[in-house]
Amino acid sequence: MDPRVENRLGLKELADKVVSAEQAAALINDGDVVGMSGFTRAGDAKVVPMALVERAKNENFKIDIYTGASLGPEVDKYLAEAGVIRKRGPFIADSGIRNQINSGNVYYVDAHLSHNAELVRQGIIGPIKYLILEATAITEDGLIVPTTSVGNSPVFAEYAENIIVELNISHPESLIGIHDIYVPGPQGQREPIPMTDAVKRIGEIGIKVDPAKIKAIVISEEPDAPSLIVPPDEETQTMANLLLDFFRSEIEAGRLTNKLMPLQSGVGSVANAVLDGFADSEFEDLIVASEVLQDAVFNLIDAGKVSFAAATSITISEQLQKKVYGNLEKYADKLVLRPQEISNHPEVIRRLGLISINTALELDIYGNVNSTHVSGTKMMNGIGGSGDFARNARLGIFVTKSYAKGGAISSIVPMVSHVDHTEHDVDVIVTEQGIADLRGLAPKERAVLIIENCVHPDFKEQMWDYYNRAVEVTGNAQTPHILEEALSWHVNLAKNKTMKKEISKA
C-alpha cells in the first residue's frame, strides 16, 4: 500500500475496502438518493462522480443528489450534462447544472442551508442509500476527518445506509485538527448549542461513523476546483468604503466597538470584495463567523486584521490555494470548520450577534430582496445561507451593484420578480451609488431613501416617476404600488432587452 495512504488509514481493517473509482461507482443504482460531501467547490467528491459519468456513457440511470452546497464541475457540470441527475439540492453555482435546471431536465430543491439536516432527520430527504465523502484521513478510533469543507456530511453519515470514502491524499495532513464536528440531538430532546463565541470548540475533529457502513474507499489526488471570484474593482471598493463609514457611524453611536461583531460574508465576488476593503481600515482583531472562507478572509489574516475565522468551508482562488494549503500550519490555529447546521444555525447567529453581508441579485424600493431568480423564472444559484444569516443577524446587509448587463438592467426595481428576503429581514442596502440604513423606517421612508441613495442615475428619474404616481394612485397607501406596472420593468427587459423606458412629461 502507498505509504501516503497507509499513514491516513488509521483503521487498518479497512485496507481491504480500497477499490477503484469504477468499482465504487458500480455500487450506486438507478433511483438511489445519494449524499455527497462538498460546500461551494470545496471538500467535494470528485473521482467517484467522474466514474459515474463514464458509466453513463453505456447505461441509463438517474439519481438524486444532495450536498452541502455547490460542487465542482465533476458533479454540477459533467454529471448533470451526462443526464445522471434527476433531482439536486440544496444549492448550485455551475452554469452546466444551471442550464439543465432552467431547461427542465433537472429538478432543483432550493432550501435554506441550515434546514437541510432537519429534512434528513425527518426523512424528507432520503432514504440516503450512499454518502460519498471526501476525507483527509480515517483515524484509529473511527473518525472520518473531512477535507476543506464539512457541510452536511455529519448528518448524511449518520443517516446514510452506506458510505463511500474518497481518501484524498493531495490535501495536507495539517487539515487534521481544524474541524469541530458537533451534531445536535433530535428536535424536542436536544440541549442548547454550547457555543458562546465563534472561537470556542464544542465537538470532535472528525465524523463518527460505524465502520461497517464503509463499503468502499477510493484513493484520490484531485484538488478542489478553485473559486471563481473576480478581483475587486473601483465600484466594489466604493461599496466597501461606504460600509466602513457606516460601521464608523455605528461606533460613534455607541452600538459597536472597533472590533465590530463577528462578520459573515456570503459567497460571491461582490461580498468578497467588500470584505477585502477592511484590509486598509482601522478595524482590527476581527472575528469571522461565516459559512465560507473566501480569499478576503485569508488576506485579512495576513494583514493582521482577522484573529480567528470559523465557517463550514474554505473556497479560495488557485493562487490562494497554493499559498494557504502549502503553508496551512500558519493558519491552522486561526481556523475552524463546522457542520453547516452549526455555522448557519439561527440560535448561534443571534447569540453571537453577527454582522451579515450578502449579495442581492435585485431588490425593490421597499427593501425586499431577490437572491435567486433572474426575471422571476430562471434560477441563478439558490438562496444558500443568506436567509439563515439575514433574518437572525444583528445587522442584515445586502450589497449589489446598482446596474447589470452594461447598464441595461437596474438592480433596483419597483417590485422584485421573486422574493427570497422580505423587507423585514433587510437592515442595510449598499450599492456603488450609496447606502440606505432601513432600520426603524416605514415603507415609504424606505422607498425615498433607497431611490435617492442607491438607484443608478440612469434609472432614478424613471423610479421617481413610478413611485410618485403610485403614491397618488393608491391615495398615499402604506406601501404604494401600481400593480399593473409593478413588474413592467421586467416585461420591458424581456421585450426590448433593457429596463429603460421613456418617461412621459405630460
Side-chain angles (χ1 to χ4, degrees), residues 179-231:
H179 304 89
D180 182 32
I181 311 300
Y182 176 89
V183 180
Q187 287 181 321
Q189 303 174 37
R190 66 181 55 162
E191 296 293 323
I193 297 172
M195 186 183 298
T196 53
D197 64 70
V199 178
K200 181 180 179 182
R201 293 175 180 267
I202 60 175
E204 299 187 83
I205 66 166
I207 302 168
K208 186 70 175 177
V209 302
D210 177 358
K213 280 188 175 185
I214 300 176
K215 305 303 182 186
I217 298 174
V218 179
I219 308 306
S220 170
E221 296 187 61
E222 295 297 321
D224 288 342
S227 72
L228 301 176
I229 59 173
V230 298

Side-chain angles (χ1 to χ4, degrees), residues 41-213:
R41 300 167 70 90
D44 50 339
K46 302 175 181 70
V47 293
V48 175
M50 287 307 294
L52 288 169
V53 171
E54 288 300 310
R55 180 178 156 194
K57 293 178 180 178
N58 302 302
E59 181 182 348
N60 291 322
F61 65 98
K62 287 187 178 291
I63 58 178
D64 294 357
I65 296 178
Y66 293 91
T67 64
S70 57
L71 302 185
E74 293 86 358
V75 172
D76 282 348
K77 177 175 174 61
Y78 301 122
L79 204 56
E81 292 176 348
V84 172
I85 303 177
R86 186 190 78 92
K87 184 183 289 187
R88 178 75 169 87
F91 186 82
I92 58 97
D94 191 277
S95 61
I97 194 165
R98 182 186 302 125
N99 293 337
Q100 295 295 314
I101 291 167
N102 287 324
S103 62
N105 296 324
V106 172
Y107 287 118
Y108 177 54
V109 183
D110 187 24
H112 296 296
L113 295 187
S114 70
H115 290 189
N116 282 257
E118 303 299 356
L119 295 177
V120 173
R121 292 189 179 98
Q122 295 166 26
I124 305 299
I125 295 176
I128 300 173
K129 291 295 182 181
Y130 277 90
L131 164 63
I132 308 175
L133 170 57
E134 186 180 78
T136 302
I138 302 176
T139 66
E140 292 181 359
D141 52 354
L143 294 176
I144 299 179
V145 180
T147 57
T148 50
S149 72
V150 180
N152 277 321
S153 293
V155 72
F156 287 163
E158 181 179 353
Y159 285 87
E161 296 175 12
N162 309 285
I163 298 175
I164 297 170
V165 176
E166 287 195 6
L167 191 60
N168 193 321
I169 58 177
S170 74
H171 285 294
E173 288 188 66
S174 48
L175 281 170
I176 300 172
I178 74 165
H179 304 89
D180 182 32
I181 311 300
Y182 176 89
V183 180
Q187 287 181 321
Q189 303 174 37
R190 66 181 55 162
E191 296 293 323
I193 297 172
M195 186 183 298
T196 53
D197 64 70
V199 178
K200 181 180 179 182
R201 293 175 180 267
I202 60 175
E204 299 187 83
I205 66 166
I207 302 168
K208 186 70 175 177
V209 302
D210 177 358
K213 280 188 175 185

Side-chain angles (χ1 to χ4, degrees), residues 5 113-115 125 129 176 199 204-205 267 286 305 325 363 389 411 416 418 441 448-449 467:
V5 175
L113 295 187
S114 70
H115 290 189
I125 295 176
K129 291 295 182 181
I176 300 172
V199 178
E204 299 187 83
I205 66 166
V267 178
L286 301 172
K305 296 295 184 180
Y325 298 141
L363 57 98
F389 290 99
S411 299
V416 288
H418 178 92
L441 300 185
V448 169
L449 198 61
Y467 176 72

Side-chain angles (χ1 to χ4, degrees), residues 35 372-373 487:
T372 58
H373 285 72
L487 296 175

Side-chain angles (χ1 to χ4, degrees), residues 373-492:
H373 285 72
V374 176
S375 290
T377 60
K378 298 292 186 180
M379 173 57 65
M380 177 55 71
N381 296 328
I383 193 169
S386 56
D388 298 327
F389 290 99
R391 173 156 291 188
N392 300 288
R394 177 189 179 103
L395 278 169
I397 301 169
F398 282 90
V399 297
T400 182
K401 292 188 177 183
S402 65
Y403 67 96
K405 297 296 182 182
I409 294 174
S410 173
S411 299
I412 303 175
V413 292
M415 179 184 286
V416 288
S417 56
H418 178 92
V419 182
D420 291 296
H421 312 282
T422 73
E423 60 188 282
H424 313 293
D425 303 327
V426 181
D427 295 318
V428 178
I429 289 168
V430 186
T431 74
E432 84 288 353
Q433 299 300 318
I435 190 166
D437 180 358
L438 307 179
R439 294 173 297 173
L441 300 185
K444 290 193 289 290
E445 292 176 305
R446 285 172 167 238
V448 169
L449 198 61
I450 291 170
I451 297 171
E452 190 57 38
N453 289 5
C454 299
V455 173
H456 192 278
D458 288 354
F459 291 95
K460 187 170 289 190
E461 183 182 3
Q462 185 175 328
M463 191 69 80
W464 277 121
D465 176 71
Y466 171 83
Y467 176 72
N468 289 331
R469 288 187 296 109
V471 170
E472 182 179 355
V473 167
T474 62
N476 202 23
Q478 168 73 359
T479 307
H481 266 306
I482 305 171
L483 296 182
E484 297 87 347
E485 295 185 30
L487 296 175
S488 64
W489 292 37
H490 301 88
V491 174
N492 193 38

Side-chain angles (χ1 to χ4, degrees), residues 211-500:
K213 280 188 175 185
I214 300 176
K215 305 303 182 186
I217 298 174
V218 179
I219 308 306
S220 170
E221 296 187 61
E222 295 297 321
D224 288 342
S227 72
L228 301 176
I229 59 173
V230 298
D233 58 25
E234 183 178 347
E235 290 176 332
T236 55
Q237 184 60 53
T238 297
M239 294 160 69
N241 292 339
L242 288 166
L243 198 50
L244 293 175
D245 284 341
F246 169 76
F247 290 141
R248 293 180 183 109
S249 69
E250 289 293 286
I251 293 170
E252 187 175 346
R255 289 188 283 266
L256 290 173
T257 69
N258 202 50
K259 293 175 60 173
L260 303 179
M261 296 293 279
L263 296 167
Q264 179 266 331
S265 177
V267 178
S269 300
V270 175
N272 180 77
V274 169
L275 196 60
D276 243 332
F278 281 90
D280 296 322
S281 74
E282 72 275 21
F283 303 104
E284 56 188 4
D285 197 19
L286 301 172
I287 300 292
V288 173
S290 193
E291 58 183 8
V292 178
L293 304 181
Q294 298 190 103
D295 284 25
V297 173
F298 292 94
N299 293 337
L300 291 174
I301 291 175
D302 289 341
K305 296 295 184 180
V306 166
S307 58
F308 196 84
T312 193
S313 169
I314 299 173
T315 304
I316 47 182
S317 65
E318 187 173 7
Q319 179 182 359
L320 261 289
Q321 283 183 348
K322 294 175 182 177
K323 178 180 179 181
V324 172
Y325 298 141
N327 190 24
L328 191 60
E329 295 81 1
K330 173 185 175 182
Y331 300 96
D333 64 342
K334 300 178 178 65
L335 303 175
V336 67
L337 295 180
R338 299 187 168 110
Q340 69 193 65
E341 69 171 320
I342 302 300
S343 65
N344 292 36
H345 201 290
E347 175 189 345
V348 174
I349 293 167
R350 186 162 294 192
R351 178 181 296 140
L352 300 185
L354 266 59
I355 295 172
S356 170
I357 307 168
N358 287 285
T359 304
L361 186 64
E362 70 175 3
L363 57 98
D364 68 27
I365 56 176
Y366 297 112
N368 300 289
V369 170
N370 171 14
S371 295
T372 58
H373 285 72
V374 176
S375 290
T377 60
K378 298 292 186 180
M379 173 57 65
M380 177 55 71
N381 296 328
I383 193 169
S386 56
D388 298 327
F389 290 99
R391 173 156 291 188
N392 300 288
R394 177 189 179 103
L395 278 169
I397 301 169
F398 282 90
V399 297
T400 182
K401 292 188 177 183
S402 65
Y403 67 96
K405 297 296 182 182
I409 294 174
S410 173
S411 299
I412 303 175
V413 292
M415 179 184 286
V416 288
S417 56
H418 178 92
V419 182
D420 291 296
H421 312 282
T422 73
E423 60 188 282
H424 313 293
D425 303 327
V426 181
D427 295 318
V428 178
I429 289 168
V430 186
T431 74
E432 84 288 353
Q433 299 300 318
I435 190 166
D437 180 358
L438 307 179
R439 294 173 297 173
L441 300 185
K444 290 193 289 290
E445 292 176 305
R446 285 172 167 238
V448 169
L449 198 61
I450 291 170
I451 297 171
E452 190 57 38
N453 289 5
C454 299
V455 173
H456 192 278
D458 288 354
F459 291 95
K460 187 170 289 190
E461 183 182 3
Q462 185 175 328
M463 191 69 80
W464 277 121
D465 176 71
Y466 171 83
Y467 176 72
N468 289 331
R469 288 187 296 109
V471 170
E472 182 179 355
V473 167
T474 62
N476 202 23
Q478 168 73 359
T479 307
H481 266 306
I482 305 171
L483 296 182
E484 297 87 347
E485 295 185 30
L487 296 175
S488 64
W489 292 37
H490 301 88
V491 174
N492 193 38
L493 175 64
K495 289 181 178 179
N496 303 312
K497 301 189 183 307
T498 180
M499 287 186 174
K500 295 177 181 177

